Amino acid sequence: MKFLSIQSSVAYGHVGNSAAVFPLQRLGHEVWPVNTVHFSNHTGYGAWRGPMLPADDVREVITGIGERDEFANIDAVLSGYQGGSDIADVILEAVDKVKAENPSATYTCDPVMGNAKSGCFVSDLIPPLLRDRVVPKADIITPNQFELGYLTDTQPTDLDSTLASVDAAMQMGPKTVLVTSVERPDRPEGTIEMLAADETGAWIVQTPFLPLKANGSGDVTAALFTAHYRSTGSAAEALKNTTSSVFGLLQLTLDSGERELQLIAAQDAYANPRDQFEVTRVR
């Protein structure tokens, strides 16, 4: 498949396109990265250098791809962290242009806003923009549990309330929802879950909780889930393969003692995901 990935990039480390592109390539897919920023490193370090690219410059890059008559060949558009509120217009324009030439193309939005521990860490303009304009245009969204609650004005906690929030999200427009970092109060200690749902049902998978802050892991997750879902048409299969690959990446990163994702060293986990976690149907 061919992916148009409109995300941030860093020279050092792996977040945004610098996290999403290689796993997709390792699966054999073509990826055309369009960078919205080009920083020295991710902002979690507290200091970074490099430019946030003007929206018009990002638009020009996408226009150039269109001038190669390639929009009709794009199978999926990806977007993640949006540094400025004007990038949303560029992304939505690109989605419209791609779908006009290839109606079977899909758009995956990772609505990056924050998490339960840190709260929102983006500009105050971004969350309502994602909720009101971007998410309704998406076919697939990959929020964490905190972001899912904001998007739907709900408080997902246990399985029933999380499923209800997923239903509310699907009523906004997306046909498929992947919820990362699901932390049910009744789950076994030392575990964490992911949940995937589409019109055919909902499934959950549980893994050991690994004690590390893994910047960029959400970008890898959204990319791999999109690829597996588009390849198989099965949310359960996509959830199983994505979970196995991301867990392999995180375990290798934890074992390395490094702060940055060991994205390249973990490449076998993308190409050959192990069948190591049980996916359970929950409806």
Side-chain angles (χ1 to χ4, degrees), residues 144-175:
N144 59 38
Q145 198 172 24
F146 170 84
E147 292 160 342
L148 176 67
Y150 175 85
L151 291 171
T152 57
D153 195 23
T154 60
Q155 293 185 324
T157 52
D158 60 11
L159 180 59
D160 287 342
S161 62
T162 301
L163 287 170
S165 298
V166 166
D167 288 339
M170 293 171 73
Q171 289 171 8
M172 297 169 66
K175 299 178 179 64

Side-chain angles (χ1 to χ4, degrees), residues 239-256:
L239 178 63
K240 180 178 73 171
N241 288 335
T242 300
T243 301
S244 177
S245 296
V246 173
F247 184 83
L249 167 63
L250 295 180
Q251 183 68 69
L252 189 62
T253 301
L254 179 64
D255 293 345
S256 75

Side-chain angles (χ1 to χ4, degrees), residues 55-277:
D56 284 343
D57 288 354
V58 179
R59 184 180 285 110
E60 281 290 290
V61 173
I62 297 169
T63 298
I65 295 172
E67 289 171 348
R68 305 285 77 75
D69 296 324
E70 287 290 353
F71 284 162
N73 297 319
I74 294 172
D75 297 288
V77 180
L78 303 176
S79 74
Y81 171 76
Q82 297 184 23
S85 58
D86 52 355
I87 292 296
D89 288 329
V90 179
I91 293 169
L92 295 178
E93 288 168 15
V95 170
D96 286 342
K97 289 177 180 178
V98 168
K99 289 192 171 190
E101 297 197 30
N102 180 11
S104 66
T106 58
Y107 168 41
T108 297
C109 171
D110 184 7
V112 178
M113 292 181 278
N115 55 57
K117 292 184 176 64
S118 305
C120 275
F121 50 65
V122 297
S123 159
D124 291 344
L125 298 174
I126 299 297
L129 180 64
L130 288 169
R131 180 192 62 211
D132 299 336
R133 293 192 54 214
V134 181
V135 165
K137 284 271 197 175
D139 300 286
I140 302 169
I141 59 171
T142 61
N144 59 38
Q145 198 172 24
F146 170 84
E147 292 160 342
L148 176 67
Y150 175 85
L151 291 171
T152 57
D153 195 23
T154 60
Q155 293 185 324
T157 52
D158 60 11
L159 180 59
D160 287 342
S161 62
T162 301
L163 287 170
S165 298
V166 166
D167 288 339
M170 293 171 73
Q171 289 171 8
M172 297 169 66
K175 299 178 179 64
T176 306
V177 179
L178 174 70
V179 188
T180 64
S181 302
V182 176
E183 300 186 63
R184 293 189 286 164
D186 58 343
R187 74 190 187 283
E189 186 176 354
T191 64
I192 195 165
E193 295 168 312
M194 282 205 295
L195 183 148
D198 63 9
E199 59 188 5
T200 67
W203 296 264
I204 200 165
V205 62
Q206 186 177 97
T207 72
F209 173 78
L210 298 177
L212 78 164
K213 184 175 182 180
N215 296 86
S217 60
D219 305 315
V220 176
T221 301
L224 288 177
F225 182 81
T226 301
H228 289 305
Y229 187 66
R230 290 300 313 274
S231 296
T232 66
S234 166
E237 189 73 12
L239 178 63
K240 180 178 73 171
N241 288 335
T242 300
T243 301
S244 177
S245 296
V246 173
F247 184 83
L249 167 63
L250 295 180
Q251 183 68 69
L252 189 62
T253 301
L254 179 64
D255 293 345
S256 75
E258 298 288 338
R259 176 170 180 172
E260 293 290 342
L261 291 178
Q262 299 302 289
L263 192 81
I264 310 304
Q267 60 183 285
D268 286 346
Y270 324 136
N272 302 293
R274 295 171 54 196
D275 188 7
Q276 56 184 324
F277 300 113

